[in-house]
Amino acid sequence: MSKTHVRSLNDNQLVTLLAIYSLRFSTRSVLSGYLNIANNTSLYSRLQILQKHGYIASHYHKSYKLAGREAEYYLLPKGLKVLHDAGKIEATNTMVSTLYRDATVGSEFVEQQVQVARIRNRLAENYDHIQIFTARDTQDLDYFPKPRPDLFISLKNGDVVTRFFLEYIPSRMADSSIRKRLDRLVRHYKDDTWSDTDTSYPTILFVAETRLVEAGLRRQIGRMKYNSDEDIAAYTSSLSELSLLARDGQKIWTDPADKDTPLSLLEL
C-alpha cells in the first residue's frame, strides 16, 4: 500500500479501524457504544467507505434481516497494514494469518465475539474508572493465559485497583469445553507467571448466556474448587442480570458457594 493511501485516512477512520481490530467482530451499534459516538448515518458512511476501499469486510446474508441481526465487521490485511504504517499497532505475520481466518469462521463464533463486545460496552458505560482490554489487546503479553480470556478488566475504586479475567459462556458451549476453560485458568494460576506483574491474581468473572447455563456453571466451578488446592476467586452472572446493571453498582455477581448473596463489581 502506498503512503498516499495511509495519509488519505483521517483520524476518525483510523480510530474505527483500530476498534474493529480490537473487537475482532463488531456491529455498527457495538462500534457506536465502543467509540462513544452516535449510531447514525455518519458512522454508517464511515464504515461503507472503509469497506469499499478494502480495509474492512462484513459478514451478512439475507437471513440477518429477518433475525434482526446486524452486519458484523472485521478487519482485512489492508486495514492492518494501514494501522501498522500509521504507528497504531505492531503487525505480525500471526496477526495477518488470523485476519484471513476471520473471513471463514462460523456464524456462531462471530455472534459470540459480538456478544463479548456488548458485555464490554455495558461494563464500560457503567463504571467511570474502568479499563477493559480484549483478547487481541493482550495477545502479545506472555503472562496471560492461553488462549486469552475474553476480556481483561482493571477497575479502580478509590486507591484500590482490582483486576479481572472475564469469560463469556454461551448456551451452546459443551460442558467439556467449560471444564477446559476452568482447567486452563487453574494451570495458569499454578504456573505463577502472573507474578511477573507484581499484582494479585485477577478475580475470574463468568457471564453465562442464560440463568440455566449459569446454574450449571456454578456446579462446575464448585467441582473445580473441590478438586483443586488453589484458592481462585470466581463469580458468575448472566446476560439478563447484566442488562440490569446501573451506575449505582447493581449487585449482579455471585459466588457459586453463596449464590443468595449477590455483590457489585466494586465489592469483589
Side-chain angles (χ1 to χ4, degrees), residues 26-56:
S26 50
T27 64
R28 198 172 92 196
S29 61
V30 162
L31 287 168
S32 170
Y34 183 94
L35 298 170
N36 197 26
I37 59 176
N39 184 5
N40 56 18
T41 54
S42 177
L43 178 56
Y44 175 77
S45 297
R46 189 189 307 178
L47 293 169
Q48 291 300 106
I49 290 170
L50 292 172
Q51 187 164 0
K52 176 182 177 181
H53 292 285
Y55 297 107
I56 63 174

Side-chain angles (χ1 to χ4, degrees), residues 60-70:
Y60 186 83
H61 52 79
K62 58 184 180 182
S63 65
Y64 277 31
K65 187 172 183 179
L66 291 174
R69 182 171 171 176
E70 299 178 77

Side-chain angles (χ1 to χ4, degrees), residues 143-146 165 181-195 199-204 224 228-233:
Y143 46 83
F144 274 79
K146 295 179 182 179
F165 292 147
R181 285 200 179 194
L182 294 173
D183 290 344
R184 163 175 49 97
L185 292 168
V186 170
R187 288 197 303 272
H188 181 254
Y189 185 94
K190 289 181 177 179
D191 288 345
D192 200 31
T193 52
W194 190 260
S195 62
T199 63
S200 300
Y201 196 81
T203 297
I204 314 301
M224 173 198 76
S228 173
D229 294 330
E230 311 303 333
D231 187 23
I232 301 178

Side-chain angles (χ1 to χ4, degrees), residues 54 95 106 151 187 189 196 219 236 247 259:
M95 291 162 67
L151 296 173
R187 288 197 303 272
Y189 185 94
D196 293 345
R219 290 192 292 272
T236 67
R247 293 190 64 82
K259 63 183 181 63

